[in-house]
Amino acid sequence: MSDLASMDAAGRTAPVLDLDPFADAVLESPFEMHAALRAAGPVGWLSKYGVYVMGRHKDILPALKDWETFSSTGGSGLADIRKPDAWRPGSPIVEVDPPQHTKVRTALQRILSPAVIRQWRQDFEIEAERLADEVVAKGSFCGVTDFAETFVSTTFPTALGLADSPQRRDNLFLLGALNFDGQGPRNARYEATQRKADEIWDWYLDSMKREAMLPGGFGEKIFQAADAGEIDPEIAPLLVRSFLRGGLDTTSSMISAALWYLAQDPAQWQLLRDDPTRVRGALDEAMRLETPIQNVCRQTMRGVEIDGTTVPFDSKILIILASANRDPERWENPDRFDVMRQTMGHLALGNGVHMCIGQMIARLEGEVLLKALVSRVSALKLTGEPTRALNNNLRSLATLPLSITAG
Ligand code: HEM
């Protein structure tokens, strides 16, 4: 798309922004870029990538709700998945609009109903307590690799019904990294992840097949929904693919972010000790501040005016959820972690028809794990600087050195 595409019908242009949301330094700390983006107006033109960009909460929320104008069919990332050489077939849930989306979403909502997820609680609690005992016995541990990742890579694939194997954990995290790197540009980071993923491609393809789903898991139920005619048979493995690629890293990122903020502020930890039901607030606040999925993309289905700037028909828009989640016009003291904050309205789980379908699962995982720690640990401390795992769209820590005082 040429620069002219950024000119609106009235001859006004969206400001051309020389910003790079995918540069290493920005991925390390994107907050200055977010502020520049919000200051630039409701919508800007990212010259480096030839896409529009939005960063203000008040403009993003209505856009997410308006799927008829802001369609998901162009792809959840920067690449246009409608092109014949698209990097992968579109997701049959994230990258479709109603009415196709409604049919698939309804079937999945039945498979992942609150009643079904509640049945997993006990198994999740047993694993959370085992793991919390383990880290308490160690005294110091990595909040990411020893704790958050260990937990989600045990509980979630088992609920899905993917058989355990020595490579399951590493392979699933690699697929997650590929999924989220793939939502950004075709840069060196993406290429490197794709090369690593090429080595496990056969395992990946096999893991989304019906034969890979153990009886009783929700993966099996997706294939049964196809048997019952609720969804088309060819999309069943692609739905399993969406879960293999999107359900682990996000949840692990949320949990380790919560631990990171809590370890920096003993008063916040004490608030959880006083009332462990507050772990829910801590998780939402960590999601708001760190926004595991930083961006989603939409494609305009008509020329649309966003707060005075017109974006032409068929334009890709990068919607920076992470920027909306710290927008000072929406949040008081936006950078402060406060487990008592009213976090309703944060956009870390999206909004509108595509709002995260796995949020109950993510919340359940986070809740049982943090509660298990809160009940055993009187003080949580950082023992070194955490490091980041840089990814084009997933914001997460690679390491989080922690020590604990039991009690
Ligand atoms: C803290 C953890 C999580 C975060 C931050 C997160 C974030 C998101 C976001 C932002 C969206 C909206 C995408 C869009 O609008 O284009 C979404 C959708 C989705 N998420 Fe999650 N997610 C999380 C956990 C999970 C889990 C555990 C699962 C698997 C059970 C999951 C499966 C999905 C699916 C299938 C969709 C697409 C829903 C649709 O298009 O109707 N997510 N998620």
Side-chain angles (χ1 to χ4, degrees), residues 41-118:
V43 58
W45 173 254
L46 275 188
S47 48
K48 182 164 172 132
Y49 298 106
V51 296
Y52 286 88
V53 61
M54 289 169 78
R56 295 176 175 181
H57 191 285
K58 76 179 166 87
D59 303 312
I60 290 180
L61 180 60
L64 292 175
K65 287 181 186 296
D66 180 3
W67 59 265
E68 283 169 300
T69 306
F70 298 92
S71 166
S72 293
T73 54
S76 60
L78 284 188
D80 188 341
I81 58 155
R82 300 166 305 176
K83 290 197 173 143
D85 59 343
W87 75 297
R88 59 162 170 73
S91 159
I93 172 94
V94 192
E95 293 169 329
V96 291
D97 292 336
Q100 296 100 302
H101 175 264
T102 318
K103 187 178 170 195
V104 178
R105 175 108 188 180
T106 306
L108 279 182
Q109 261 164 344
R110 185 186 56 71
I111 292 168
L112 294 174
S113 71
V116 169
I117 293 167
R118 272 196 296 273

Side-chain angles (χ1 to χ4, degrees), residues 64 72 76 91 93-96 101 105 108 112 120 156 180 218 239 242-243 246-255 287 291-293 295-298 321 347-359 361-363 365:
L64 292 175
S72 293
S76 60
S91 159
I93 172 94
V94 192
E95 293 169 329
V96 291
H101 175 264
R105 175 108 188 180
L108 279 182
L112 294 174
W120 303 347
F156 182 73
F180 294 111
F218 74 86
L239 284 174
S242 292
F243 290 112
L248 248 67
D249 311 52
T250 46
T251 311
S252 159
S253 157
M254 168 189 72
I255 295 170
M287 271 195 264
T291 313
I293 299 180
N295 316 306
V296 295
C297 284
R298 295 293 190 263
L321 304 174
L347 301 178
L349 297 160
N351 204 284
V353 295
H354 290 283
M355 191 168 183
C356 182
I357 202 169
Q359 60 181 288
I361 303 174
R363 287 203 161 100
E365 290 183 79

Side-chain angles (χ1 to χ4, degrees), residues 19-34 189 294 320 388 390-391 395:
L19 300 171
D20 184 354
F22 306 101
D24 284 11
V26 175
L27 295 179
E28 283 281 353
S29 180
F31 310 114
E32 215 177 291
M33 187 204 72
H34 293 165
R189 182 176 301 109
Q294 296 269 290
I320 306 203
R388 287 216 161 269
L390 297 193
N391 180 284
R395 183 161 173 82

Side-chain angles (χ1 to χ4, degrees), residues 223-383:
F223 287 95
Q224 288 167 349
D227 296 341
E230 289 175 49
I231 54 170
D232 296 332
E234 64 274 14
I235 71 167
L238 296 178
L239 284 174
V240 171
R241 183 190 73 175
S242 292
F243 290 112
L244 290 174
R245 292 166 69 125
L248 248 67
D249 311 52
T250 46
T251 311
S252 159
S253 157
M254 168 189 72
I255 295 170
S256 38
L259 289 174
W260 180 41
Y261 283 101
L262 289 164
Q264 293 173 79
D265 191 341
Q268 295 285 316
W269 185 255
Q270 191 53 47
L271 284 169
L272 304 191
R273 295 273 289 175
D274 296 343
D275 179 358
T277 63
R278 291 179 180 146
V279 298
R280 291 186 209 131
L283 292 164
D284 270 286
E285 185 67 336
M287 271 195 264
R288 180 186 70 80
L289 282 169
E290 291 302 301
T291 313
I293 299 180
Q294 296 269 290
N295 316 306
V296 295
C297 284
R298 295 293 190 263
Q299 199 82 25
T300 52
M301 290 289 107
R302 59 179 176 88
V304 53
E305 192 185 292
I306 303 173
D307 213 358
T309 305
T310 304
V311 175
F313 163 66
D314 203 25
S315 304
K316 179 77 96 173
I317 309 193
L318 182 70
I319 297 181
I320 306 203
L321 304 174
S323 170
N325 278 345
R326 290 189 186 224
D327 184 344
E329 284 204 13
R330 173 63 180 78
W331 309 99
E332 213 178 311
N333 289 327
D335 301 331
R336 182 172 152 59
F337 176 82
D338 178 3
V339 302
M340 306 297 277
R341 186 191 290 272
Q342 292 298 322
T343 52
M344 185 110 84
H346 77 67
L347 301 178
L349 297 160
N351 204 284
V353 295
H354 290 283
M355 191 168 183
C356 182
I357 202 169
Q359 60 181 288
M360 265 194 76
I361 303 174
R363 287 203 161 100
L364 175 64
E365 290 183 79
E367 187 190 325
V368 299
L369 191 60
L370 275 192
K371 275 189 177 162
L373 204 62
V374 165
S375 69
R376 288 163 171 79
V377 169
S378 57
L380 181 69
K381 284 202 188 74
L382 270 183
T383 55

